[in-house]
Amino acid sequence: MSTMTARLSAMMFLQFFIWGGWFVTLGTFLASNLGASGGQIGMAFSTQSWGAIIAPFVIGLIADRFFNAERILAVLHLVGAVLLYQLYRAPDFSTFYPYVLAYMMIYMPTLALVNSVAFRQMSDPALEFSRIRVWGTIGWIVAGVVISFVFAWDSQALISSGGLRNTFLMSAIASLVLGLYSFTLPRTAPLKPEVGRSGLKQMLGLDALSLLKDRSYLVFFIASILICIPLAFYYQNANPFLAEIGVTNPTAKMAIGQVSEVLFMLLLPLFIHRFGIKIALLVGMLAWALRYLLFAYGNNGDLAFMLFTGIALHGICYDFFFVSGQIYTDAKAPERFRSSAQGLITLATYGLGMLIGFWVAGQVTDHYALTGSHDWKSIWLFPAGFALAIFFCFALAFKGRQAAVVQSTV
């Protein structure tokens, strides 16, 4: 591993350790310790979507135009550390919600920023990006292991006594470390605008919208929004589901998905080179439908293997759609607004799609709520059917030269 690769890998590790350190257990914490309803939990999760919606404008106006991306990254994570500490101290949902909303508006733009810093140091992103991005997944895994096996904050006893509150303090410390570390990252200065292209559209990062003129990218963009509706069910409900049916150490066991993600991320460049972007995206979509079917019919007894298989499918679900989408976007976008393009796909996935998805997940979860439990089979069948419908629509509508995008750089 080169020195540059190691530096960028450390950045990715901390970036996703912070997120995985509190986001996985958020639903369980809110329901168990702050008495939040399904709708309120949906509101809390949807704050990431509001952050993702403003991300393209933050990136387009600042990172692509005026300030170095690594410096913006540093400032945002330092402010984020303060907000995470406030979440740690929040006594009730009404106090908690404004802080989590502010934090996600700070954090979500950093997803595009770390990609921008990484891509600018690469000569062949299709081959190199997965090797660096995989360390973000490892960071997420380590966060889950620390929660379950080091401190046992997600044990039944500590959930009841508020142990999950400490996840916010842990993430605040990690955010402080990444904020300071970001000042040492490679200089990622904004690119000079082309002559005659310095108007308001470019300043706001709206040049990236020109990608939507390409029919194939437009279909991909719409599919990215829609597939995030079933994705929201996993983020919002998986940990509470496992905890409610009596699975021990649910947070660490959910990290099986990230272990799978590491494996498939390393295999992804070879898969894309062999089969193309379209097949990779379709495999990712189909995996979502299969995962939710396994959740619907599995249990914590003789069919527990179905639950763990569904968790393990996360590597295919995430890598084959979201990481492939980031690589596809980087390949389609001109160099002068690649940061804006990454912000645009962040808007489509973590923004619009999951904003709708968290609302839908909250409504569906409340609809199937029982006294002290939920009708989880009915809850999981909804996103399974939705993901399958998207799979068939995308297979018919995406007509682009799916292999050429990556083959040109491999």
Side-chain angles (χ1 to χ4, degrees):
M1 179 184 291
S2 68
T3 301
M4 180 60 68
T5 299
R7 293 169 67 191
L8 296 175
S9 298
M11 172 189 72
M12 287 293 185
F13 179 92
L14 289 168
Q15 176 75 22
F16 287 90
F17 178 91
I18 294 166
W19 198 2
W22 66 274
F23 196 72
V24 175
T25 56
L26 176 62
T28 304
F29 169 73
L30 291 175
S32 301
N33 301 123
L34 298 189
S37 66
Q40 288 176 319
I41 294 171
M43 285 175 57
F45 274 99
S46 68
T47 58
Q48 78 157 26
S49 302
W50 291 115
I53 288 170
I54 71 166
F57 303 101
V58 172
I59 304 305
L61 183 60
I62 301 175
D64 275 350
R65 291 286 298 174
F66 299 117
F67 300 104
N68 286 14
E70 81 281 359
R71 294 178 186 174
I72 306 168
L73 184 67
V75 172
L76 292 181
H77 277 299
L78 291 175
V79 175
V82 175
L83 293 172
L84 283 166
Y85 181 70
Q86 295 302 319
L87 291 174
Y88 164 71
R89 299 179 60 213
D92 50 47
F93 185 80
S94 62
T95 305
F96 183 94
Y97 180 75
Y99 285 122
V100 75
L101 176 61
Y103 177 73
M104 292 311 280
M105 288 187 174
I106 291 292
Y107 181 84
M108 293 310 291
T110 67
L111 294 175
L113 285 170
V114 293
N115 285 347
S116 180
V117 171
F119 279 127
R120 286 279 289 277
Q121 311 305 317
M122 299 176 191
S123 57
D124 192 344
L127 286 177
E128 298 174 58
F129 181 66
S130 294
R131 300 170 189 167
I132 292 171
R133 174 58 182 80
V134 73
W135 284 95
T137 302
I138 293 172
W140 191 290
I141 293 169
V142 171
V145 170
V146 169
I147 290 170
S148 285
F149 292 127
V150 177
F151 297 112
W153 290 329
D154 62 346
S155 65
Q156 293 297 326
L158 287 183
I159 287 175
S160 301
S161 62
L164 287 176
R165 185 178 300 276
N166 295 311
T167 60
F168 300 103
L169 181 59
M170 178 181 72
S171 295
I173 295 170
S175 187
L176 175 62
V177 172
L178 181 53
L180 296 175
Y181 176 71
S182 295
F183 286 113
T184 74
L185 290 171
R187 185 173 181 270
T188 310
L191 297 170
K192 293 182 180 180
E194 295 180 2
V195 176
R197 299 187 62 84
S198 58
L200 182 63
K201 181 178 179 181
Q202 189 183 22
M203 290 178 64
L204 293 177
L206 299 180
D207 268 359
L209 292 175
S210 63
L211 290 172
L212 302 182
K213 295 178 182 178
D214 182 285
R215 182 183 182 277
S216 295
Y217 195 85
L218 177 61
V219 170
F220 163 73
F221 185 81
I222 294 172
S224 295
I225 295 173
L226 294 177
I227 200 63
C228 284
I229 296 175
L231 168 61
F233 278 77
Y234 181 74
Y235 280 149
Q236 182 167 324
N237 287 337
N239 193 266
F241 162 64
L242 295 174
E244 186 174 297
I245 65 174
V247 174
T248 57
N249 300 314
T251 309
K253 289 176 178 174
M254 284 181 67
I256 293 171
Q258 277 64 48
V259 174
S260 165
E261 187 180 329
V262 171
L263 172 63
F264 286 105
M265 195 172 299
L266 295 174
L267 295 175
L268 183 61
L270 298 175
F271 188 95
I272 294 176
H273 182 52
R274 176 66 179 84
F275 298 104
I277 285 288
K278 180 177 181 178
I279 299 301
L281 295 171
L282 284 171
V283 168
M285 294 178 187
L286 189 60
W288 283 110
L290 178 58
R291 153 183 273 181
Y292 291 133
L293 286 173
L294 291 167
F295 281 0
Y297 292 100
N299 59 43
N300 195 31
D302 57 335
L303 297 180
F305 73 93
M306 296 176 68
L307 302 181
F308 297 126
T309 302
I311 293 171
L313 281 173
H314 184 74
I316 300 176
C317 294
Y318 186 85
D319 295 340
F320 278 65
F321 193 88
F322 292 98
V323 178
S324 292
Q326 291 169 354
I327 294 171
Y328 179 54
T329 297
D330 186 72
K332 295 287 286 186
E335 185 179 32
R336 58 188 167 80
F337 57 76
R338 280 180 177 165
S339 291
S340 299
Q342 290 296 328
L344 179 67
I345 197 59
T346 299
L347 183 151
T349 53
Y350 292 107
L352 296 176
M354 293 190 71
L355 180 64
I356 300 168
F358 285 130
W359 181 84
V360 172
Q363 297 303 308
V364 171
T365 302
D366 278 345
H367 180 75
Y368 290 108
L370 307 173
T371 303
S373 62
H374 296 81
D375 178 4
W376 288 111
K377 179 179 177 181
S378 298
I379 291 172
W380 292 125
L381 286 176
F382 183 94
F386 200 97
L388 200 59
I390 300 168
F391 169 84
F392 286 115
C393 291
F394 185 81
L396 295 173
F398 191 90
K399 302 294 185 182
R401 295 177 299 163
Q402 59 266 35
V405 171
V406 177
Q407 286 176 347
S408 63
T409 59
V410 173

